[in-house]
Amino acid sequence: MEKHKKLEEQMEKARQELCDLEQIYGLGHPGVLRQSMVLDELINRYNRSYYAHVNNYTYRSERGTKDEHKPGQAQLHSNTFAASFG
């Protein structure tokens, strides 16, 4: 979880910098767009890390080792699928 905290701090710093740059230069400025991409990448890293953790936890706690399902794979539950069309 320390990794998540560090990423949250980096995201907040990048977000504040983006806001500051936007106030000075406006939305279309190349520096603002670059900073927006920096923030996007931090958010993507955070989400990948978070969902990898959640998938691993779910896999271990709910599915056990005998299930064929692997972390990160979607499973289709027939009851849910049928209910959405019925």
Side-chain angles (χ1 to χ4, degrees):
M1 280 301 164
E2 181 64 33
K3 183 178 180 179
H4 291 138
K5 189 69 172 164
K6 184 177 178 181
L7 280 170
E8 286 173 359
E9 291 171 1
Q10 290 174 329
M11 288 183 329
E12 179 54 31
K13 183 177 177 182
R15 186 196 66 78
Q16 187 58 54
E17 174 130 4
L18 178 61
C19 289
D20 293 346
L21 288 171
E22 188 275 326
Q23 289 293 315
I24 296 168
Y25 300 109
L27 286 175
H29 190 273
V32 175
L33 297 174
R34 243 187 324 273
Q35 184 62 27
S36 177
M37 291 189 302
V38 168
L39 179 56
D40 288 345
E41 180 55 32
L42 287 169
I43 292 169
N44 290 336
R45 284 178 26 201
Y46 180 88
N47 285 335
R48 282 191 300 269
S49 175
Y50 174 80
Y51 286 110
H53 173 76
V54 168
N55 283 341
N56 285 335
Y57 175 78
T58 301
Y59 176 69
R60 283 184 275 132
S61 65
E62 293 179 3
R63 299 188 191 332
T65 57
K66 294 182 181 180
D67 196 341
E68 295 286 324
H69 178 75
K70 305 233 180 336
Q73 289 182 331
Q75 272 190 322
L76 178 62
H77 298 283
S78 59
N79 294 344
T80 304
F81 184 73
S84 66
F85 289 99

